[in-house]
């Protein structure tokens, strides 16, 4: 064995890397170097243990984490040795399996993948409502059932409340609609492979031979479906390493189950348990607070983080009169601290429980001209109206794009209903062709009457005419004379009467805002086309690339990070400001209208507090050098000032609630400037 495999690792990290005698569970506390363990173990398998890269798979939950792992492995091993290695998200692996085994799920290999927005459109048609909260609730319930491998029959049988009965009814029709479209949703990408492996022994054994060693990151975030997929992939050999932290399990609301960590020890009695407790991120005072908080939760596994970074700065707790004062105070403190510590803006993060808290903080940052970026904010390209127009462009560029066909054909409404689309989807599935190609086939006439067929063909002819103007025919052959992209875009908007559709569907102000976004999109596309001499088809490819790269580019800014606690997981910052540490907000106690049986309400509340405590633990352990908490005595929600109490978590951290200071009132611009000057003067005083 070469020394490189364990170079720079502490004893427990080394044990986790070298153990290959069976399944291994690595309990990795926050900041304990788990990514290093996974990447060093991959390198060890490839360099020292004669594993072929094509037989090693590492799974994680985000593309960003997968990219980071991939980059690290490439620095550790010869590129030739790493060729064929799979480091991906669960969903990316699911796509690979499903493309290869599509026939076992009754799908064509070129099946479509519907994102959350596409899937929501189906649910909306089935429910015939525009109530977004109701639509989201049904969509989430269906998602939880799929993640739990519960089919429509089982869902209908176990539905207890009125909303669950409604969701079960929609679930059956929703699945039938997806099947008719030869499409899958995000949850199917894991559920369908798990079901195929369960049913098809030969397929399962083929993949078990292919995956000789499996590594899974963030195991506490797996749901029932992902757990089963891991079991089927690793089979009786059970050669895998699972890395997780029960103290950072914060995704129960989307189906993750913390019990999966404990289940490993019962399903695999021989599993080796390795605990990583040395933290390389935070000072001892921050870790002590984190340990105190999480000690209040029942333990699956006992562990306690420690650090060699010294005591560090004391954690501050500030009581504020209201959320406006809180936002102004944190902006001023960051301005002064950046000067005092000679730090960069990107060294600071402001964390909060809910997205609704961001608006007032943004205003305070703008007032002091502090650059900031927001994690988890909606991308311009994710806005419904922008996606509507891009669906037309995607279809014009690629008539095989079934989700784009469905969105464009039904937005604005043009007499093409759900039943028509289902029949079209079934016909296209039987013929193994795209929905667009099926529109023009003579055989479709035996399935649809004239009233259904006419609007379909009218729409198809419209797209063909645009395609020809853009520079290719319906069969994809290039032709010479392509009209300027700007002219085609203007004609497209005019013909589909999108502005009129917005004003018919919405009140004046939101319709105006959405139309403004469309004008911004089209203006940007026109400028790009002119500047780079692009035709419409090249432009569509460029947009696809921009939407993919958009988020990774924003990470490079020198800006204060504003983020929800959930979105901050896995990240770290020298200085963290945690806002709204109040009862009812952190811990968040759920909505009053949630349907919970009285007998289960007490248990549900206990479970929720435990999850919120883990979320608090995640927030505390993002901080490297300093941590600042604040809470408000009053917080404005829906035009009402709510009286607040400090969060129980402050006391659980071993801190006292700062009520003795004079609350900082909301300031005038002049007072704000004076206070900032005073802070700066104090920080540079000898």
């Amino acid at each position: 064995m070469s020394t490189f495999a364990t170079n720079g690792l502490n004893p427990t990290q080394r044990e986790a890397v070298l153990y290959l005698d069976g399944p291994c569970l690595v309990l990795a506390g926050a900041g304990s170097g788990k990514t290093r363990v996974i990447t060093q173990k991959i390198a060890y398998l490839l360099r020292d243990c004669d594993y072929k890269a094509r037989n090693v798979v590492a799974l994680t939950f985000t593309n960003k984490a997968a990219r980071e792992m991939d980059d690290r492995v490439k620095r550790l091993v010869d590129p030739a040795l790493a060729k064929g290695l799979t480091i991906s998200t669960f969903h990316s692996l699911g796509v690979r399996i499903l493309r290869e085994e599509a026939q076992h799920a009754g799908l064509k290999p070129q099946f479509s993948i519907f994102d959350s927005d596409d899937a929501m459109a189906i649910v909306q048609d089935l429910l015939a409502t525009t109530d977004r909260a109701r639509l989201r609730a049904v969509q989430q319930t269906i998602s939880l059932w799929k993640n739990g491998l519960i089919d429509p029959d089982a869902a209908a049988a176990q539905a207890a409340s009125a909303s669950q009965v409604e969701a079960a009814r929609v679930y059956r029709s929703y699945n039938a609609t997806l099947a008719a479209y030869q499409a899958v949703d995000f949850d199917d990408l894991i559920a369908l492979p798990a079901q195929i492996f369960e049913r098809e022994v030969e397929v399962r054994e083929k993949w078990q031979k292919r995956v000789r060693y499996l590594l899974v990151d963030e195991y506490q975030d797996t749901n029932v479906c992902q757990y089963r997929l891991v079991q089927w992939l690793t089979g009786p050999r059970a050669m895998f390493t699972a890395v997780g932290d029960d103290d950072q399990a914060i995704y129960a609301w989307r189906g993750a189950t913390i019990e999966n960590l404990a289940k490993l020890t019962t399903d695999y009695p021989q599993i080796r348990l390795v605990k990583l407790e040395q933290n390389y991120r935070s000072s001892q005072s921050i870790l002590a607070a984190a340990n105190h908080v999480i000690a209040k939760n029942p333990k699956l596994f006992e562990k306690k983080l420690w650090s060699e970074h010294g005591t560090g700065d004391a954690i501050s707790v500030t009581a504020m009169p209201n959320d406006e004062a809180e936002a102004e105070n944190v902006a001023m403190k960051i301005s002064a601290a950046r000067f005092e510590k000679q730090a960069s803006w990107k060294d600071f993060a402001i964390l909060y429980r809910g997205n609704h808290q961001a608006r007032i903080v943004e205003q305070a940052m703008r007032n002091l001209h502090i650059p900031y970026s927001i994690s988890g904010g909606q991308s311009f390209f994710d806005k419904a109206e922008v996606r509507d127009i891009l669906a037309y462009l995607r279809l014009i560029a690629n008539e095989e794009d079934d989700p784009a066909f469905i969105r464009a054909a039904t937005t604005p409404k043009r007499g093409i209903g759900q039943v028509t689309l289902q029949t079209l989807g079934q016909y296209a599935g039987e013929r193994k062709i795209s929905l667009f190609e099926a529109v023009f086939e003579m055989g479709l006439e035996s399935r649809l009457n004239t009233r259904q067929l006419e609007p379909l063909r009218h729409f198809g002819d419209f797209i063909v005419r645009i395609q020809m103007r853009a520079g290719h025919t319906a069969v994809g052959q290039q032709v010479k004379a392509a009209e300027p992209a700007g002219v085609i875009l203007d004609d497209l908007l005019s013909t589909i009467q999108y502005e009129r559709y917005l004003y018919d569907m919405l009140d004046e102000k939101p319709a105006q805002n959405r139309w403004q976004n469309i004008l911004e999109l089209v203006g940007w596309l026109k400028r790009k086309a002119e500047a780079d001499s692009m035709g419409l088809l090249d432009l569509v490819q460029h947009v696809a690339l921009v939407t993919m790269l958009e988020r990774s580019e924003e990470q490079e800014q020198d800006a204060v990070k504003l983020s929800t606690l959930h979105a901050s997981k896995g990240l770290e910052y020298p200085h963290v400001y945690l806002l709204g540490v109040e009862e009812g907000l952190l811990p968040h106690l759920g909505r009053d209208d949630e349907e919970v049986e009285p007998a289960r309400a007490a248990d549900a509340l206990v479970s929720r507090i435990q999850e919120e405590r883990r979320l608090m633990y995640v927030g505390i352990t993002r901080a490297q050098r300093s941590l600042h908490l604040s809470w408000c005595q009053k917080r404005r929600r829906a035009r009402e000032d709510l009286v607040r109490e400090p969060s129980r978590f402050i006391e659980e951290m071993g801190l006292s609630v700062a009520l003795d200071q004079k609350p900082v009132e909301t300031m005038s611009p002049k007072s704000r400037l004076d206070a900032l000057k005073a802070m700066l003067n104090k920080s540079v005083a000898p």
Side-chain angles (χ1 to χ4, degrees), residues 69-70 333 539 684:
M69 272 189 207
D70 196 44
K333 279 183 173 174
L539 205 53
V684 295

Side-chain angles (χ1 to χ4, degrees), residues 353-371:
R353 177 63 179 81
N355 278 312
H356 65 274
Q357 292 169 259
R359 185 192 58 77
I360 201 161
V361 178
E362 285 188 76
Q363 185 61 54
M365 302 298 272
R366 285 195 293 268
N367 286 344
L368 285 183
H369 308 292
I370 298 173

Side-chain angles (χ1 to χ4, degrees), residues 279-284 286-287 307 309-310 620-624:
N279 173 286
Y280 293 92
R281 176 187 298 158
S282 307
S283 67
Q284 194 56 48
I286 291 168
L287 290 185
S307 164
H309 285 339
I620 295 167
T621 54
R622 298 313 93 201
Q624 295 171 307

Side-chain angles (χ1 to χ4, degrees), residues 147-186:
N147 289 334
L149 289 174
I150 296 164
D151 64 20
D153 288 339
Q158 70 180 43
S161 63
S163 62
Q164 286 179 341
V165 170
E166 177 180 67
R169 175 178 58 76
V170 173
Y171 185 15
R172 191 179 301 282
S173 303
Y174 170 78
N175 264 9
T177 305
L178 283 177
Y181 292 163
Q182 284 284 294
V184 298
D185 66 17
F186 209 51

Side-chain angles (χ1 to χ4, degrees), residues 127-158:
L127 273 178
T129 181
T130 54
D131 182 342
R132 299 296 288 180
R134 186 175 158 208
L135 290 169
R136 274 195 298 270
V138 168
Q139 193 176 23
Q140 187 179 14
T141 303
I142 292 172
S143 174
L144 289 171
W145 279 330
K146 287 194 177 192
N147 289 334
L149 289 174
I150 296 164
D151 64 20
D153 288 339
Q158 70 180 43

Side-chain angles (χ1 to χ4, degrees), residues 2 14 111 202 205 221 232 236 248 284 321 373 388-390 399 448 458 471 555 560 584 601 616:
S2 65
R14 192 176 303 122
F111 62 83
E202 283 184 22
E205 288 177 348
D221 294 339
W232 291 129
Q248 294 188 74
Q284 194 56 48
S373 66
D388 286 343
I389 302 309
L390 291 181
E399 57 264 39
L448 295 172
H458 183 72
Q555 302 301 323
V560 176
M616 183 71 185

